[in-house]
Amino acid sequence: MRRNKNTSLDTTVTDFIILGLPHPPNLRTLLFLVFFIIYILTQLGNLLILLTVWADPKLHARPMYILLGVLSFLDMWLSSVIVPRLILDFTPASKSIPFGGCVAQLYFFHFLGSTQCFLYTLMAYDRYLAICQPLRYPLLMNGRLCTILVSGAWVAGSIHGSIQVTLTFRLPYCGPNQIDYFICDIPAVLRLACADTTVNELVTFVDIGVVAASCFMLILLSYANIVHAILKIRTADGRRRAFSTCGSHLTVVTVYYVPCIFIYLRAGSKSPLDGAVAVFYTVVTPLLNPLIYTLRNQEVKSALKRITAGRGTVNENK
């Protein structure tokens, strides 16, 4: 994408108009309710997972569930960055967002999203060690190392978000100011720049698309080794439990990475399908995470029962 730089101080954009998702006017109320319910359920579901991991000593001492708790925390914040703004699209409220608000939304979206990308890779590495090297697992993945790896993921995500924001908003924006998308994201914002965006598109391709694709390939490689190790387990119950634990993570990873790679490896795309795909991994995936991990993970369900039973005992003693 190339534009001629023809901006001046008196034509600099001070706010943007987010056009949102295309939708029939008669479905506006229904869509408002759908996304509002999705947001509430996402917050409650991930909060339940977070509190369960924190409250149960058997869970918060294990790296796998520390990572799951961090994932739930990320999902809650990522959903809060995206969905409330999306809900406004289905109300008579102004679709305008200040320039600084657009900068903040783009930063936090990519900061949280990339941190989540790295976290999924760490979760796959944790499962690889637990299943393929069970005797060395306590030494290779302990609480201290898990904390260091998670901190590294947060720092890497923050650096990624800062790079993308700096490169995107160093460009001049002199009009038009209508973002044909439901959030301030890089491809949609770059279309409005009054300058050459070739470098930005190249960085987006490498820093987002290639990194996401590389993380996805590392995860698939981990799971190829995991499946090979699981097939060597002699007992059917052992194989079932291993597949159940790993299946939950692999399901979540697939529904997150595939749409992400689809969008960011297609620089300059203006396909209307991009919006629907982006809604899936930014809105639906944070909702699915607690459902998948709760319904398919026996240890989480057992922890919920223990916590519920403990509260019931306390109430009876009172």
Side-chain angles (χ1 to χ4, degrees):
M1 181 188 297
R2 297 180 180 273
R3 291 178 183 270
N4 294 324
K5 185 175 180 179
N6 57 356
T7 185
S8 60
L9 292 176
D10 58 342
T11 59
T12 300
V13 169
T14 58
D15 61 1
F16 292 99
I17 305 296
I18 297 181
L19 299 181
L21 293 173
H23 61 277
N26 59 326
L27 294 181
R28 183 169 296 172
T29 302
L30 176 62
L31 291 173
F32 172 87
L33 292 174
V34 167
F35 283 104
F36 180 76
I37 292 172
I38 287 176
Y39 179 68
I40 297 300
L41 291 178
T42 299
Q43 297 301 307
L44 293 177
N46 283 289
L47 181 61
L48 178 63
I49 295 290
L50 191 61
L51 293 177
T52 301
V53 172
W54 176 78
D56 192 282
K58 293 184 178 181
L59 296 187
H60 68 235
R62 297 176 57 185
M64 172 183 174
Y65 294 103
I66 294 175
L67 296 173
L68 178 57
V70 175
L71 177 63
S72 294
F73 181 78
L74 284 170
D75 279 336
M76 292 175 67
W77 281 102
L78 183 61
S79 178
S80 296
V81 169
I82 302 299
V83 183
R85 180 72 234 185
L86 176 59
I87 290 174
L88 286 179
D89 293 338
F90 308 114
T91 69
S94 172
K95 306 299 188 293
S96 174
I97 182 173
F99 190 92
C102 189
V103 172
Q105 186 181 55
L106 192 149
Y107 169 75
F108 283 107
F109 174 48
H110 283 274
F111 165 40
L112 297 170
S114 58
T115 302
Q116 194 172 60
C117 178
F118 298 134
L119 187 68
Y120 283 136
T121 308
L122 292 179
M123 294 175 76
Y125 177 65
D126 173 75
R127 290 300 84 205
Y128 163 76
L129 293 178
I131 294 174
C132 297
Q133 302 188 44
L135 297 180
R136 300 179 60 200
Y137 177 73
L139 295 175
L140 296 174
M141 180 61 81
N142 52 49
R144 181 174 178 274
L145 178 59
C146 183
T147 301
I148 293 174
L149 292 175
V150 169
S151 300
W154 281 94
V155 171
S158 179
I159 293 173
H160 162 81
S162 299
I163 291 173
Q164 292 301 330
V165 163
T166 301
L167 288 176
T168 301
F169 291 101
R170 72 177 176 82
L171 299 173
Y173 292 89
C174 52
N177 68 337
Q178 293 186 336
I179 298 176
D180 190 13
Y181 211 50
F182 64 97
I183 56 171
C184 288
D185 197 12
I186 296 170
V189 173
L190 286 182
R191 296 187 199 119
L192 306 181
C194 302
D196 184 3
T197 61
T198 303
V199 173
N200 295 72
E201 292 175 358
L202 179 61
V203 172
T204 299
F205 179 86
V206 174
D207 189 32
I208 301 178
V210 173
V211 170
S214 299
C215 288
F216 188 50
M217 293 305 296
L218 287 174
I219 292 172
L220 292 181
L221 181 62
S222 296
Y223 275 96
N225 286 285
I226 288 172
V227 170
H228 183 262
I230 289 176
L231 293 177
K232 292 182 179 180
I233 298 176
R234 295 183 178 181
T235 63
D237 183 62
R239 289 195 298 269
R240 182 188 59 79
R241 291 181 60 186
F243 271 123
S244 177
T245 301
C246 296
S248 302
H249 181 230
L250 197 55
T251 301
V252 170
V253 164
T254 302
V255 298
Y256 179 82
Y257 276 96
V258 173
C260 182
I261 293 171
F262 174 80
I263 290 175
Y264 293 107
L265 285 185
R266 297 158 58 251
S269 170
K270 297 182 180 181
S271 171
L273 186 61
D274 289 352
V277 173
V279 166
F280 193 80
Y281 84 92
T282 59
V283 178
V284 179
T285 300
L287 172 66
L288 293 178
N289 282 350
L291 293 175
I292 291 173
Y293 280 109
T294 302
L295 295 178
R296 293 178 60 91
N297 192 300
Q298 188 60 44
E299 290 180 305
V300 174
K301 289 190 287 186
S302 298
L304 286 171
K305 291 179 181 178
R306 286 195 297 270
I307 294 172
T308 304
R311 289 180 177 177
T313 302
V314 171
N315 291 333
E316 287 178 4
N317 292 335
K318 289 181 178 180

